Amino acid sequence: MGKYYFGIDVGGTFIKFGLFDQTGVLLEKWMIPTRLDKKGECILSDLSEAMGNKMRDRGLDGSQMAGIGIGAPGQVDKEGKVLAAENLGWDQVSLAPILEDRMGIPVKAGNDANLAALGEAWKGAGCRDMVLVTVGTGIGCGVVLAGKIHTGMHGAAGELGHIHVEDRLKKKCACGKSGCLEQVASAKGIELCAKYILEESQEPSMLRGQDLSVKKVFDAAKQSDRLAIRTVECFGDYLGKALAMCTCVLDPERIVIGGGVSKAGDIILEYVQKYYRKYAFPACENVQFGLAKLGNDAGVYGAVRMFIEETP
Amino acid sequence: MGKYYFGIDVGGTFIKFGLFDQTGVLLEKWMIPTRLDKKGECILSDLSEAMGNKMRDRGLDGSQMAGIGIGAPGQVDKEGKVLAAENLGWDQVSLAPILEDRMGIPVKAGNDANLAALGEAWKGAGCRDMVLVTVGTGIGCGVVLAGKIHTGMHGAAGELGHIHVEDRLKKKCACGKSGCLEQVASAKGIELCAKYILEESQEPSMLRGQDLSVKKVFDAAKQSDRLAIRTVECFGDYLGKALAMCTCVLDPERIVIGGGVSKAGDIILEYVQKYYRKYAFPACENVQFGLAKLGNDAGVYGAVRMFIEETP
């Protein structure tokens, strides 16, 4: 049996690759741009070529490769077929079967957010029951139970961004409903919240008179700007409440927060935990909280872990 | 190996027993009163005696018994030790080890609400990924994933009754927090809601001038009493919203509603589904809904199923 694995994370801008040994050590990582023209039909040949080149560079043949794990931004079924990945221009693409055929190496495919959660559980937090929530442009989430991804009946498990948290918001979310967590606690949601708070108050704030951004909000809050702090409290209340609901259902070992917004650092944990504890079922009040550790590498780690975990 | 199983459900009023064959058919069921005096210390000997008598009646010896599954109303750890079961007067009781020692038959123990969910999944709904929510004096819940109970890190998975759903409610829940689903959508919650609605309105209603009960509320709603319908809408909104949150996290195959309040019948499903669809993530909108089918037998079925499922 082969000794090496490729882990791949296909994103809308870059395709990230990792070469791993059989103990799960990342030997080398690199990336190539994602070519989105022609409905993303170059992606599969670009993937194969990149892996082929790496194998030649390292003098590896197919028999030394144990497998390929790959993540894509969309719904992926149990056969490794992508059912839809709008960001890549893909409708249905038989991702795993086609790659397996071209490379002559076993391939398993999964959803990228789920694989990021699995990667963080494996090499970031080192635990087997974990929820990863990524707060960026949107709010994504992956659920890992007993060391495996929990996908749910329709691949919709961990759609934490679409938990209903705000009755007063009538504007529609991208999902078609309204009052979703993603509308109020994503990067856009935080900016919107800051805008309202600034408009409603006469207080001075270092956020006034400039373009708002999440970074500016958190930086101002760290400098004790009162309206910025009020915005962060609001974010903490929404996300903390949603995570408390989530632990009432799952009771995980650990909650990890990642995504662009988590770059603000410990202030995120401070405010989310404050409100989490307010709403949480007492037995789950002291669940471990942490920030994601693997950054952009989480997906390639998770892809390899999925391959190892699902191979008998 | 033995051919028969005992399934036992220890409740605060009765202990229910079932004798099952190796294919999971319930051959006979019976119950005895739960003796709560002396901090429930008679319960273990009553259990052993009842099983011993049944084996003698049927001419069965220990070698013909494959195992005993037992559920208790409290937190039960992986070794089958009950950590606390207030309704029985129990602090820590090594339920499974003690029974195993006395009977000479392998014993596995679990939480009663979780076992009811497993029983309904196995013999009621016939599915492997299911959430059972029981609406009675309180709101209980059990989560079955891939045919097994999901207990969570602290045994608190499925504490759906303590999801925060009402910011306006400042009164404390039994859990110590406020605004919990159980406070507004349990039998007591429904009565409280009806009381407010009657007080706030001048409209005539067949609910006026009598003691309120959940049965009367649902009966009046079936007869098109407008204030009763408003109460049922309110219940449907709370429970439907909480279940929509739950499916955003788990994406189960099926949701089953049981407990005393479910005796009102299809009207429960009608109003809960109406609001569930309002709040649910679109991919999960058409999750299967059903009423619990096994009634008081769910626990004994689940206890046996746990034994079979967990035995290598």
Side-chain angles (χ1 to χ4, degrees):
Chain A
M1 192 180 153
K3 290 181 177 174
Y4 299 94
Y5 299 90
F6 282 121
I8 308 176
D9 183 5
V10 184
T13 313
F14 288 101
I15 304 172
K16 282 149 265 170
F17 294 82
L19 178 67
F20 292 79
D21 73 12
Q22 59 192 344
T23 64
V25 171
L26 176 57
L27 303 173
E28 184 182 350
K29 62 179 181 176
W30 74 101
M31 56 190 202
I32 62 173
T34 310
R35 287 200 286 157
L36 296 175
D37 52 323
K38 299 182 199 164
K39 289 196 164 186
E41 67 178 35
C42 309
I43 294 173
L44 279 167
S45 43
D46 288 355
L47 282 171
S48 311
E49 195 185 325
M51 284 187 281
N53 290 342
K54 187 60 62 185
M55 286 165 67
R56 264 189 301 281
D57 289 353
R58 289 209 165 230
L60 296 170
D61 65 30
S63 70
Q64 289 168 278
M65 298 302 304
I68 301 167
I70 184 166
Q75 207 185 331
V76 181
D77 73 9
K78 290 189 199 313
E79 277 69 48
K81 191 194 286 181
V82 178
L83 303 181
E86 288 160 28
N87 292 344
L88 305 180
W90 286 2
D91 267 345
Q92 290 212 353
V93 172
S94 293
L95 179 58
I98 293 174
L99 267 193
E100 195 162 289
D101 191 48
R102 292 196 186 172
M103 300 297 297
I105 301 168
V107 180
K108 292 191 189 293
N111 168 269
D112 59 351
N114 286 339
L115 293 183
L118 187 60
E120 286 287 350
W122 184 36
K123 290 287 181 178
C127 69
R128 294 176 59 78
D129 291 272
M130 199 196 82
V131 173
L132 171 71
V133 54
T134 52
V135 186
T137 317
I139 290 189
C141 176
V143 174
V144 176
L145 298 178
K148 293 183 182 178
I149 297 164
H150 176 68
T151 56
M153 192 66 189
H154 310 87
E159 282 291 352
L160 208 72
H162 300 284
I163 282 190
H164 179 88
V165 291
E166 184 50 88
D167 287 336
R168 292 169 300 180
L169 190 66
K170 302 302 173 198
K171 198 185 158 199
K172 286 257 188 300
C173 176
C175 78
K177 303 295 167 80
S178 61
C180 292
L181 179 67
E182 181 165 290
Q183 292 181 281
V184 294
S186 62
K188 273 186 197 165
I190 294 168
E191 288 166 20
L192 205 68
C193 181
K195 191 165 160 274
Y196 284 138
I197 286 172
L198 289 167
E199 280 171 8
E200 274 181 7
S201 165
Q202 304 296 324
E203 270 188 67
S205 165
M206 58 182 79
L207 295 174
R208 293 195 190 278
Q210 54 177 318
D211 285 346
L212 281 171
S213 75
V214 168
K215 186 175 182 325
K216 285 178 192 166
V217 170
F218 281 101
D219 284 348
K222 287 173 193 172
Q223 291 172 62
S224 304
D225 183 285
R226 285 178 54 180
L227 297 189
I229 289 175
R230 209 178 296 166
T231 306
V232 177
E233 296 265 6
C234 184
F235 163 75
D237 192 313
Y238 283 127
L239 186 55
K241 190 191 289 180
L243 288 171
M245 290 165 179
C246 181
T247 56
C248 270
V249 176
L250 282 179
D251 185 15
E253 186 178 349
R254 196 173 175 88
I255 292 171
V256 174
I257 303 177
V261 171
S262 73
K263 288 179 188 157
D266 288 340
I267 188 173
I268 296 277
L269 294 181
E270 183 188 333
Y271 283 91
V272 172
Q273 278 186 284
K274 172 179 171 184
Y275 286 94
Y276 171 81
R277 290 208 188 96
K278 175 180 171 187
Y279 297 113
F281 184 64
C284 307
E285 243 175 59
N286 293 314
V287 63
Q288 300 165 25
F289 267 84
L291 294 173
K293 291 179 183 167
L294 304 179
N296 285 330
D297 296 342
V300 296
Y301 274 106
V304 165
R305 182 63 182 169
M306 171 188 61
F307 190 95
I308 297 172
E309 185 70 56
E310 291 185 2
T311 306
Chain B
M1 192 180 153
K3 290 180 177 173
Y4 299 94
Y5 299 91
F6 283 121
I8 308 176
D9 183 4
V10 184
T13 313
F14 288 102
I15 304 171
K16 282 149 263 169
F17 294 82
L19 178 67
F20 292 78
D21 73 11
Q22 60 192 343
T23 65
V25 170
L26 177 57
L27 302 172
E28 184 182 350
K29 62 179 180 176
W30 75 101
M31 55 192 205
I32 62 174
T34 310
R35 288 201 285 157
L36 296 176
D37 50 321
K38 298 181 201 164
K39 289 196 163 184
E41 68 179 33
C42 309
I43 294 174
L44 278 167
S45 43
D46 288 354
L47 282 171
S48 312
E49 193 185 326
M51 284 187 282
N53 289 342
K54 186 60 63 185
M55 287 166 67
R56 264 190 301 281
D57 288 353
R58 290 211 164 228
L60 296 170
D61 64 32
S63 71
Q64 288 169 279
M65 299 302 304
I68 300 167
I70 183 165
Q75 206 185 330
V76 182
D77 73 9
K78 290 188 199 315
E79 278 69 48
K81 190 193 288 181
V82 178
L83 302 182
E86 288 160 28
N87 292 343
L88 305 180
W90 287 1
D91 269 343
Q92 290 211 356
V93 172
S94 294
L95 179 58
I98 293 175
L99 266 192
E100 196 163 288
D101 191 48
R102 292 197 187 173
M103 300 296 298
I105 301 168
V107 180
K108 291 191 190 296
N111 168 270
D112 60 350
N114 286 340
L115 294 182
L118 188 60
E120 287 286 349
W122 184 37
K123 289 288 180 176
C127 68
R128 293 175 59 77
D129 290 273
M130 199 195 81
V131 172
L132 171 71
V133 53
T134 52
V135 186
T137 317
I139 291 190
C141 176
V143 174
V144 176
L145 298 177
K148 293 184 182 178
I149 297 165
H150 176 68
T151 55
M153 192 66 189
H154 311 87
E159 283 291 352
L160 208 72
H162 301 284
I163 281 189
H164 179 88
V165 291
E166 184 50 87
D167 287 336
R168 293 169 300 180
L169 191 65
K170 302 301 173 200
K171 199 187 157 197
K172 286 258 188 301
C173 176
C175 78
K177 304 295 167 83
S178 61
C180 293
L181 180 67
E182 182 165 288
Q183 291 181 281
V184 293
S186 61
K188 272 186 198 165
I190 295 168
E191 288 165 19
L192 205 68
C193 182
K195 189 164 161 276
Y196 284 138
I197 286 172
L198 288 167
E199 280 171 8
E200 274 181 7
S201 165
Q202 303 298 323
E203 270 190 69
S205 165
M206 58 182 78
L207 295 175
R208 291 195 191 279
Q210 54 176 319
D211 286 346
L212 280 171
S213 75
V214 169
K215 187 174 182 327
K216 285 177 191 166
V217 169
F218 281 100
D219 285 348
K222 287 174 192 169
Q223 292 172 62
S224 305
D225 183 284
R226 284 179 54 181
L227 296 188
I229 289 175
R230 208 178 296 166
T231 306
V232 177
E233 296 265 5
C234 183
F235 163 75
D237 192 313
Y238 282 126
L239 187 54
K241 189 191 290 181
L243 288 171
M245 291 165 178
C246 180
T247 57
C248 270
V249 176
L250 282 179
D251 186 14
E253 185 179 351
R254 195 173 176 88
I255 293 171
V256 174
I257 303 176
V261 170
S262 73
K263 288 181 186 155
D266 288 339
I267 188 172
I268 296 279
L269 294 181
E270 182 189 332
Y271 283 91
V272 173
Q273 278 187 285
K274 172 180 169 183
Y275 286 94
Y276 171 80
R277 290 209 188 94
K278 176 180 172 188
Y279 297 113
F281 184 64
C284 308
E285 243 175 59
N286 294 314
V287 63
Q288 300 165 25
F289 266 85
L291 294 173
K293 291 178 183 165
L294 304 179
N296 285 330
D297 296 343
V300 296
Y301 275 106
V304 166
R305 181 62 181 169
M306 171 188 61
F307 190 94
I308 296 172
E309 184 69 56
E310 290 186 2
T311 306

